[in-house]
Amino acid sequence: MQMQKLGTSDLSVSRVCLGTMTWGEQNNEAQAHAQLDYARSRGINFIDAAEMYPVPPRAQTQGATETILGNWLARQVRDQLVVATKVTGPGRGFTWVRGGDLRLARSAVRAAVEGSLRRLRTEYIDLYQIHWPERYVPAFGNSFYDPTQERDANSIALQLQMFSELIEEGKIRYLGLSNETPWGVCQWLKAAAESGLPRPVSIQNAFSLLNRAYEMGLSEVTRQENIPLLAYSPLAFGHLTGKYLGGALPAGARLTLFPPFGQRYTKPNVPEATAQYAALARQLGLSPAALALAFVYSRWFVASTIIGGTTLEQLQENIDCAATVLGEATFQAIDEIYQRFPNPAI
């Protein structure tokens, strides 16, 4: 497994990161631990969680993912692993998380960190990420910025001070961003430079054949500021495996079980674009998943790609795809499809 230094940090992370959001909902603890053991056997040292997981989020299960991961972590050599998790922000109505105190104020952030540390059964979190900005941003399928949706939020400078205090205390090692915009990332970097405080080291945003928005602005920030992407949803909630083609709803699949959870992918051009990528994969003798993952793995701005699966077989295939090398003609064919269907699931 190829390893890479994460931005300006001293974290060495595997190019494949194990995602955890099904644990506690679609996967029980034994299944999750089997995934962890298998991932470690393949050289993966990077694990990504969140305080709001599993998904779809609900009061009855919130925190279960971190608890499941923590029970496994307690048996591991901790400094051989890079553990990432996320703090929930306001704006999505998850009132059961921390009693609904979701603004990123000092008391709420501290409570979030302490809760994650307790569930993870660890003394520190390697990468602590803001799951989405406290301020309004168009995200999770919303494509356009609407100034009328702006809301009060703590300044980025104040938020940075709060997270820096937790770094000083050793509770977290590095700060990461998620679901951020080019303007937002630059404001975080500016605040860090002006204050002399630790800067964010990564950005976790959606990136796939169906959503290449990162390439339009944030990739330049990655290049100029050495703050790489942790790519999530590389298979677009399973659409890019081809299993939903023709309106199919396979038994046990995430969007079969939880239809509202995938609303960001219920857009007009998603089926057409997915079908064309699947056809290209077949022409190349690849599975649709292999083509989709190999594309994300190939991008220079991606430090690690977050994958998951509800079965070990799915996990094995997704990890194996890291070894798939696409040729220039394939990238040209992908770009031709993209020109016809640019970012249908942004």
Side-chain angles (χ1 to χ4, degrees), residues 117 123-125 164-173:
L117 288 170
E123 295 181 354
Y124 63 91
I125 296 162
S164 297
E165 291 171 6
L166 293 163
I167 292 173
E168 279 288 320
E169 295 171 19
K171 296 182 185 298
I172 63 177
R173 295 182 63 194

Side-chain angles (χ1 to χ4, degrees), residues 203-217:
I203 314 163
Q204 185 179 146
N205 277 25
F207 184 74
S208 72
L209 288 172
L210 296 181
N211 181 354
R212 294 173 60 177
Y214 195 93
E215 293 176 313
M216 293 187 288

Side-chain angles (χ1 to χ4, degrees), residues 4-298:
Q4 179 164 317
K5 187 171 179 248
L6 187 61
T8 57
S9 77
D10 66 356
L11 300 174
S12 179
V13 300
S14 48
R15 293 299 305 275
V16 178
C17 175
L18 182 61
T20 64
M21 69 179 184
T22 62
W23 301 354
E25 183 67 64
Q26 289 176 266
N27 291 109
N28 60 32
E29 183 160 327
Q31 292 168 332
H33 288 186
Q35 290 186 20
L36 283 158
D37 290 338
Y38 180 74
R40 287 296 290 138
S41 76
R42 295 293 302 273
I44 292 174
N45 74 333
F46 193 15
I47 308 161
D48 181 70
E51 69 167 339
M52 61 161 270
Y53 287 172
V55 293
R58 55 195 182 101
Q60 297 92 325
T61 58
Q62 185 263 316
T65 299
E66 288 184 327
T67 298
I68 289 170
L69 175 55
N71 291 339
W72 180 84
L73 278 177
R75 305 193 303 270
Q76 310 305 312
V77 179
R78 179 64 181 86
D79 62 7
Q80 294 181 0
L81 298 163
V82 177
V83 177
T85 194
K86 312 180 197 75
V87 57
T88 304
R92 303 201 71 201
F94 301 151
T95 55
W96 56 84
V97 180
R98 303 191 310 274
D101 186 11
L102 299 181
R103 287 195 60 177
L104 300 184
R106 183 170 275 102
S107 60
V109 168
R110 188 164 292 274
V113 169
E114 296 290 354
S116 288
L117 288 170
R118 183 175 60 255
R119 289 186 292 269
L120 290 169
R121 299 176 66 179
T122 186
E123 295 181 354
Y124 63 91
I125 296 162
D126 295 287
L127 179 65
Y128 196 62
Q129 302 157 107
I130 301 170
H131 210 150
W132 54 86
E134 181 180 16
R135 72 187 192 282
Y136 158 75
V137 294
F140 306 112
N142 297 308
S143 305
F144 303 106
Y145 188 86
D146 180 0
T148 67
Q149 299 300 310
E150 291 178 357
R151 56 177 180 257
D152 290 336
N154 290 294
S155 70
I156 285 175
L158 178 59
Q159 292 178 58
L160 180 62
Q161 178 63 51
M162 293 185 298
F163 288 108
S164 297
E165 291 171 6
L166 293 163
I167 292 173
E168 279 288 320
E169 295 171 19
K171 296 182 185 298
I172 63 177
R173 295 182 63 194
Y174 294 98
L175 175 66
L177 306 175
S178 184
N179 297 300
E180 259 294 3
T181 67
W183 182 88
V185 176
C186 289
Q187 291 302 302
W188 279 96
L189 297 175
K190 178 183 176 183
E194 290 178 346
S195 63
L197 296 174
R199 56 188 252 155
V201 301
S202 60
I203 314 163
Q204 185 179 146
N205 277 25
F207 184 74
S208 72
L209 288 172
L210 296 181
N211 181 354
R212 294 173 60 177
Y214 195 93
E215 293 176 313
M216 293 187 288
L218 278 166
S219 62
E220 182 181 14
V221 180
T222 291
R223 174 69 178 86
Q224 301 298 334
E225 300 291 345
N226 191 16
I227 180 168
L229 173 65
L230 304 178
Y232 79 79
S233 289
L235 291 176
F237 284 21
H239 281 278
L240 288 168
T241 68
K243 64 185 177 184
Y244 299 118
L245 286 175
L249 290 172
R254 186 178 307 158
L255 299 186
T256 304
L257 296 172
F258 315 111
F261 184 59
Q263 285 181 347
R264 75 185 80 172
Y265 295 102
T266 57
K267 295 186 177 181
N269 286 334
V270 167
E272 291 84 353
T274 302
Q276 293 199 22
Y277 287 123
L280 174 61
R282 288 193 294 271
Q283 291 171 20
L284 297 169
L286 298 172
S287 70
L291 177 70
L293 287 171
F295 172 78
V296 176
Y297 292 144
S298 74

